[in-house]
Amino acid sequence: MLQKTAKHFNTASIVLAFIFLCGKVTNAQHADFNSANIYQKLNALNTFGSILYIGVTPADKNIPLLNYFSKQKNYRTGFMSLTRGENLKNKYGSEEGIELGLVHVAESIQQYKFDGIENFYTTAYEAGAASDEKQLYLGWDTLKILSDIVWVIRNFKPDVIITPFSLNDTMLNSEQEITASLIKHTFAMAADSAAFSDQMAYGVTPWKTLGLFNDYSYTDPPDNNNTASINTNTFNALTGLTTTEIANASLQYQKSIYDKDYKINAQTIYLKPLAGDSAFTDIMDGIEQHYQHLHDTIINLVQPLIKEVIARYNFSAPEHSIKQLTKLYKTLLNADLKSNWKNRKLGEIQNLILLCSGISLKAYSNQPFAVPGDSLKVQLSISKRTSVDAVLNGIAYPRFDFNKYDFNIPFLKDTVFGKTIAVNRYQEATQPYWLRNTMNNEYMYDVKDQYLIGEDEDEPDYNLSALLTVDSTELYVTMPVEYRPERGDAMMPAQNVFTNIPLIVSLSPNIVLTNVKPGNDFTNNPLLAVKFKPNISRDSVNLKLKIYEPGFTITTSNETVKQVPRKTVFETDSIMNLTAGESFTINVPLKTTGINKDSAAILSVIINTDIDGEKNAYSSFLKTIRYNYLPAINYFYSDRTKIIPDEIKTTGQTIGYIYNNNDWLPSSLTQLGYKVKLLTPADFSSDSLSTLAAVVVSPYIENIQYHLADKYDSVVHYVSKGGNLIFLDSRNEMNLNTPFKLSSALLKLPCVNSEISFSQQAKTLFNFPNTITTTDFGRWQRNLTEFIFDTHNDAGFQMPLSINYDNKFTVNNSIAIKKYGEGHFIFSGLSLPTQLSSGVAGAYKLLPNMISFTE
């Protein structure tokens, strides 16, 4: 974590000089009391080195190297990703874009609890590995990204910076090349007081890093004369594990990035200096030398005390170290020292005092969220595993409410203190800080609070703080209030209690097609579903619901050209008794809204209320992402419905869909008027499959042959008898062996600078039942392709689409069609699912053409 804001309470007895500690606050776990773990933390007290590794995405983290620094060398270790990896492939779930970025951040936070590697981010959005360099330079605000990196360096104060990128590397993609250039500049700029001088007003000072190194994760060193090598596969007797084993164990928290069978092998890492002090090339020697620049107080007063604690540590009785630790704590607390290490080491010492004392503190609630204007019951559980005298002097509850206790903590007995607090009616809802404001463009988040720049998450909304006395030493311990359900899946990690809104609202579906031919009752009479759920209970609440077309303003660089006001298309008033957790649905026929079905439109919803004399408007829905190895991920967004009036023709009625968890694509097929049958094992008989117009494979299935196992032969037989089997933009590289060989490779071509043309083989695909022209591809957003296919010289494949990218090269294999018997295997590497979710009309024309394809 970076710089923290002090939290002050209105009780004089707890106004301490050390009221804010650097580092993350967590509830203690029983495993932390292991004597070997305590001893390793003691050794870390005497370590003052720091490493910052900078990459483009979370996938750039060199896990074995950083675990070596963190767990073996005890350095303060940080990883900075310029982006949150929004455009990486999700190897675990279906989340993409912003939601995948949220998953990556949650994974990094859980991983930090395991490996101690801190994580930082800039305000950049990940555009994709094959993004166009010119477009990326236009989208990425490189000056802002430079500022973000410099800010993190000045706060973190690394001795050494490492990056996997070098400007001399000809294999870099656009994102990596820009990152390499930015890192090289920030290395010097962080030490220059004239660079981003506005940051000084926020408490940072220039920082000179010793060296910038390039990480070559190769088998052999690129330059024997000027390259340091590190064997990361060292054994740690205290943990009983090698650093490679620890690194592999940490992969359990990055399932969205790595395949489930991925394994880190023991390796030697080579680091080549790129910039900095030329006096050393060995990164370890350089950091050890840098210790000599520490303040005399640390060298002459603090370090001798630390060494004494280590030398006299008793593995059988860690509590014997408490008197030395409290002496060390007071010495450092009272030292006139402005070093960035002071607060950090105070936090480490305090944690060691608690561990040696066997004191466990847990703050929790049986409510997952709090609601403004309502109440929240919070509890503190405290216990002690040693006979050391320890007193709980008081608890500071949220909203600066301090309760004195003067309670002697008993031996081996859990004691619970609790209180119900009022939640401020003006408390803001919990939202990831980088999502609070509208993005500046599709490549940059807008973060207005300078102190949040670089952080992985904001401070918890609700903390409990305990004032303790151990060995006549006052300790102030702060921890987040976590949700611990009375019943539930014990395997799910606890989540911080968050702030919800009194009323959540959604509008569905996201896409409405108003001109499907021939259509059916569903497509001819579309419904808008407004769903809302109160999170508080109140009687006789006046609700005013409106569906509207948002207004907009057209401007040039210096004047407003046109203003279009918001237009209400449907509204209704009612007085209701609201019960927390009860859901309501109002179905609104589109034809009653006055929307012209032949015109494109964007619709939004809002509900105005009067609750407890406060008038408020609610238009946000709470989305929760659940992965069983992560705490629940929550964020708010506003639903919109896009009306697409383009004529779209379909043939066939029922589509078979090979489904994966959390898959949204069937809803797009439903909007086209198809009946969608989610195929179960019992549906793979010849009779059942023969009734289907086509079978579509979920893009989230990793390996179709493995997924279907013995049912795969039934699908192949279905194709041979005239069916079409359609693969849409697989999120994983494909390797098909039966009934022919086909593989895929990642290639993200941006829509910008991509020129489309149709081959002679395209006559059917782009003309029936819908006539598709190159103009239809002009509306596609961001990336045109995700994958291309290798047919292994099989001349039996049709390649109907050709893409000329910026006159640099031509791609002919983004769509591959193979006739098999009387039917077809159709493979699409186009970003078709993304375009469907974005409401691109051309994508809705192309999908029926694939379903209906025949020669």
Side-chain angles (χ1 to χ4, degrees):
M1 297 291 282
L2 300 179
Q3 190 166 320
K4 296 295 179 188
T5 304
K7 293 180 171 62
H8 299 281
F9 296 86
N10 58 357
T11 305
S13 62
I14 62 168
V15 177
L16 305 173
F18 181 52
I19 213 167
F20 56 100
L21 293 173
C22 225
K24 292 180 184 273
V25 286
T26 58
N27 286 307
Q29 303 297 315
H30 294 313
D32 293 339
F33 296 107
N34 179 285
S35 191
N37 173 62
I38 295 173
Y39 187 71
Q40 181 155 336
K41 291 180 182 296
L42 281 171
N43 280 281
L45 263 185
N46 200 34
T47 306
F48 293 86
S50 56
I51 302 280
L52 182 63
Y53 195 103
I54 304 179
V56 180
T57 75
D60 293 325
K61 180 187 289 187
N62 189 325
I63 296 175
L65 179 63
L66 296 183
N67 269 276
Y68 171 81
F69 288 138
S70 176
K71 292 297 188 182
Q72 189 68 23
K73 301 298 292 184
N74 292 320
Y75 295 151
R76 183 187 181 193
T77 306
F79 172 71
M80 184 176 193
S81 176
L82 264 63
T83 73
R84 292 163 179 82
E86 292 89 347
N87 223 349
L88 293 176
K89 290 188 297 180
N90 189 341
K91 300 294 186 67
Y92 191 81
S94 61
E95 283 70 28
E96 300 173 318
I98 286 174
E99 290 190 348
L100 182 55
L102 288 166
V103 170
H104 288 154
V105 171
E107 287 180 327
S108 73
I109 293 170
Q110 287 300 108
Q111 195 173 40
Y112 163 82
K113 297 174 184 178
F114 178 83
D115 60 22
I117 300 169
E118 301 172 57
N119 294 274
F120 309 100
Y121 304 90
T122 76
T123 48
Y125 180 97
E126 204 249 316
S131 303
D132 177 72
E133 184 176 349
K134 292 184 292 186
Q135 187 69 14
L136 191 55
Y137 264 116
L138 290 173
W140 267 9
D141 183 344
T142 52
L143 187 63
K144 179 64 173 69
I145 299 172
L146 277 171
S147 173
D148 292 350
I149 301 173
V150 168
W151 169 260
V152 170
I153 292 173
R154 287 172 172 172
N155 275 279
F156 189 85
K157 301 184 184 299
D159 297 312
V160 169
I161 295 174
I162 305 173
T163 177
F165 312 125
S166 168
L167 286 174
N168 298 324
D169 190 345
T170 58
M171 300 300 292
L172 298 182
N173 62 46
S174 298
E175 283 189 330
Q176 294 168 343
E177 187 174 334
I178 293 174
T179 300
S181 176
L182 292 174
I183 294 171
K184 184 176 180 180
H185 283 88
T186 54
F187 178 79
M189 296 174 76
D192 184 356
S193 60
F196 304 112
S197 57
D198 57 308
Q199 293 181 0
M200 310 306 171
Y202 296 91
V204 297
T205 56
W207 177 255
K208 182 180 179 180
T209 302
L210 282 174
L212 172 64
F213 284 79
N214 187 194
D215 166 16
Y216 287 85
S217 297
Y218 300 147
T219 303
D220 298 313
D223 183 352
N224 287 312
N225 298 321
N226 195 29
T227 304
S229 64
I230 298 175
N231 177 15
T232 60
N233 193 38
T234 55
F235 177 71
N236 188 323
L238 293 175
T239 63
L241 299 170
T242 67
T243 47
T244 300
E245 289 170 331
I246 295 173
N248 275 303
S250 76
L251 294 178
Q252 65 183 298
Y253 303 109
Q254 287 193 305
K255 295 181 181 180
S256 73
I257 294 178
Y258 297 101
D259 292 316
K260 58 185 177 182
D261 298 325
Y262 179 77
K263 184 178 180 181
I264 296 171
N265 297 315
Q267 60 180 312
T268 297
I269 305 295
Y270 298 97
L271 302 174
K272 182 176 181 179
L274 297 176
D277 191 341
S278 60
F280 71 95
T281 58
D282 189 304
I283 189 171
M284 302 304 171
D285 288 346
I287 293 175
E288 297 295 334
Q289 292 168 15
H290 202 218
Y291 285 1
Q292 304 308 312
H293 299 291
L294 292 171
H295 196 281
D296 288 344
T297 301
I298 292 179
I299 296 174
N300 299 325
L301 189 61
V302 175
Q303 281 192 306
L305 291 175
I306 295 174
K307 291 177 181 179
E308 182 183 356
V309 177
I310 295 172
R312 298 176 63 180
Y313 180 69
N314 186 332
F315 278 85
S316 299
E319 64 270 22
H320 291 177
S321 298
I322 291 175
K323 286 193 176 296
Q324 294 168 285
L325 284 169
T326 55
K327 177 182 178 182
L328 174 61
Y329 180 86
K330 292 175 181 176
T331 299
L332 183 56
L333 180 64
N334 296 319
D336 183 15
L337 179 64
K338 295 183 180 179
S339 168
N340 65 301
W341 287 103
K342 179 176 180 178
N343 285 341
R344 183 168 188 84
K345 291 302 176 181
L346 281 170
E348 292 177 18
I349 298 167
Q350 174 173 279
N351 186 43
L352 280 164
I353 293 172
L354 295 175
L355 292 177
C356 290
S357 304
I359 295 175
S360 174
L361 297 158
K362 297 178 184 178
Y364 62 93
S365 173
N366 61 1
Q367 300 171 227
F369 56 80
V371 181
D374 215 4
S375 62
L376 175 69
K377 184 178 181 180
V378 294
Q379 293 177 293
L380 175 71
S381 171
I382 187 167
S383 63
K384 188 182 64 172
R385 293 165 172 258
T386 69
S387 58
V388 171
D389 289 335
V391 177
L392 173 66
N393 303 113
I395 300 174
Y397 292 94
R399 298 195 69 187
F400 314 125
D401 184 3
F402 185 77
N403 285 20
K404 292 183 178 180
Y405 289 105
D406 196 25
F407 174 76
N408 288 300
I409 305 170
F411 176 59
L412 291 180
K413 180 182 178 181
D414 284 336
T415 306
V416 177
F417 299 84
K419 189 170 187 176
T420 299
I421 63 168
V423 181
N424 191 330
R425 67 170 58 188
Y426 301 111
Q427 176 77 32
E428 292 186 3
T430 306
Q431 180 79 329
Y433 72 85
W434 60 97
L435 300 182
R436 289 177 191 160
N437 304 308
T438 303
M439 293 179 69
N440 289 326
N441 59 43
E442 62 179 331
Y443 296 103
M444 293 295 297
Y445 296 108
D446 180 21
V447 179
K448 300 187 184 302
D449 186 341
Q450 181 64 39
Y451 288 113
L452 290 175
I453 297 296
E455 297 287 359
D456 51 5
E457 62 177 344
D458 202 350
E459 290 284 357
D461 282 354
Y462 305 97
N463 287 325
L464 283 189
S465 300
L467 181 62
L468 308 172
T469 299
V470 179
D471 189 35
S472 302
T473 302
E474 286 188 329
L475 304 176
Y476 191 79
V477 185
T478 300
M479 68 219 82
V481 178
E482 294 180 338
Y483 168 53
R484 298 174 59 197
E486 295 177 0
R487 296 182 180 88
D489 186 357
M491 300 299 292
M492 292 283 288
Q495 69 180 70
N496 292 344
V497 173
F498 68 98
T499 305
N500 208 333
I501 55 178
L503 191 72
I504 58 174
V505 186
S506 71
L507 177 66
S508 62
N510 295 328
I511 307 295
V512 173
L513 307 176
T514 60
N515 199 5
V516 177
K517 301 293 179 65
N520 54 29
D521 185 61
F522 176 84
T523 60
N524 294 335
N525 299 284
L527 292 176
L528 301 176
V530 178
K531 298 181 180 181
F532 60 95
K533 182 172 72 174
N535 291 312
I536 57 174
S537 298
R538 296 290 190 277
D539 291 335
S540 303
V541 177
N542 185 17
L543 302 178
K544 190 170 191 176
L545 183 153
K546 292 183 180 181
I547 299 176
Y548 64 94
E549 292 184 70
F552 57 90
T553 301
I554 301 174
T555 61
T556 62
S557 59
N558 55 6
E559 64 177 339
T560 299
V561 177
K562 184 179 180 180
Q563 286 186 324
V564 178
R566 188 171 82 176
K567 177 184 176 183
T568 300
V569 298
F570 175 85
E571 62 181 312
T572 182
D573 292 359
S574 60
I575 296 178
M576 301 179 64
N577 294 329
L578 302 181
T579 301
E582 183 179 0
S583 296
F584 301 87
T585 301
I586 298 176
N587 291 315
V588 180
L590 183 64
K591 60 186 178 183
T592 66
T593 65
I595 293 291
N596 184 348
K597 74 171 189 174
D598 296 323
S599 299
I602 301 290
L603 301 179
S604 296
V605 65
I606 191 170
I607 295 180
N608 294 290
T609 68
D610 186 345
I611 299 176
D612 298 335
E614 291 280 339
K615 295 183 183 297
N616 284 294
Y618 300 101
S619 59
S620 297
F621 180 72
L622 176 68
K623 176 69 179 288
T624 300
I625 302 170
R626 299 186 187 277
Y627 285 26
N628 60 11
Y629 59 97
L630 297 174
I633 303 167
N634 301 293
Y635 77 102
F636 293 94
Y637 71 96
S638 295
D639 270 322
R640 290 192 172 191
T641 294
K642 185 174 184 178
I643 308 298
I644 300 177
D646 302 56
E647 182 181 80
I648 299 173
K649 300 175 183 177
T650 65
T651 63
Q653 292 186 347
T654 304
I655 303 299
Y657 194 84
I658 301 176
Y659 181 77
N660 199 18
N661 292 335
N662 302 317
D663 197 340
W664 54 266
L665 198 58
S667 64
S668 294
L669 291 165
T670 301
Q671 284 299 319
L672 284 163
Y674 293 112
K675 295 179 181 178
V676 181
K677 185 174 185 179
L678 303 181
L679 299 180
T680 66
D683 295 320
F684 287 94
S685 66
S686 296
D687 289 343
S688 180
L689 291 175
S690 65
T691 63
L692 304 175
V695 173
V696 177
V697 180
S698 166
Y700 304 104
I701 290 178
E702 184 173 344
N703 183 315
I704 185 64
Q705 290 174 250
Y706 176 83
H707 182 83
L708 292 181
D710 60 339
K711 304 299 181 184
Y712 181 67
D713 289 341
S714 300
V715 178
V716 173
H717 180 74
Y718 162 76
V719 176
S720 71
K721 294 301 181 181
N724 285 345
L725 181 64
I726 301 168
F727 296 81
L728 299 178
D729 171 23
S730 173
R731 293 303 188 266
N732 298 279
E733 294 182 16
M734 180 182 297
N735 283 289
L736 198 66
N737 295 312
T738 304
F740 46 81
K741 290 190 69 175
L742 179 133
S743 56
S744 67
L746 178 69
L747 181 63
K748 295 176 180 286
L749 289 181
C751 298
V752 177
N753 300 324
S754 291
E755 183 179 345
I756 299 287
S757 61
F758 301 146
S759 71
Q760 292 297 319
Q761 299 173 325
K763 183 176 180 181
T764 303
L765 181 62
F766 296 115
N767 285 284
F768 180 80
N770 297 291
T771 299
I772 297 174
T773 68
T774 57
T775 304
D776 287 298
F777 287 93
R779 303 181 192 176
W780 285 40
Q781 302 175 12
R782 199 178 288 276
N783 290 327
L784 181 62
T785 69
E786 298 289 338
F787 286 90
I788 54 175
F789 299 99
D790 181 357
T791 60
H792 300 277
N793 300 315
D794 187 337
F797 276 91
Q798 297 182 40
M799 304 291 182
L801 189 68
S802 180
I803 305 171
N804 180 293
Y805 177 64
D806 201 24
N807 292 322
K808 294 178 180 177
F809 57 86
T810 299
V811 171
N812 297 316
N813 50 346
S814 59
I815 297 179
I817 302 175
K818 173 74 171 180
K819 184 174 176 62
Y820 183 77
E822 298 176 20
H824 300 86
F825 285 81
I826 301 174
F827 302 91
S828 170
L830 301 177
S831 61
L832 195 58
T834 300
Q835 309 306 324
L836 292 170
S837 67
S838 299
V840 176
Y844 279 94
K845 293 180 181 179
L846 182 56
L847 184 54
N849 285 23
M850 290 181 174
I851 290 170
S852 306
F853 182 80
T854 185
E855 295 181 63

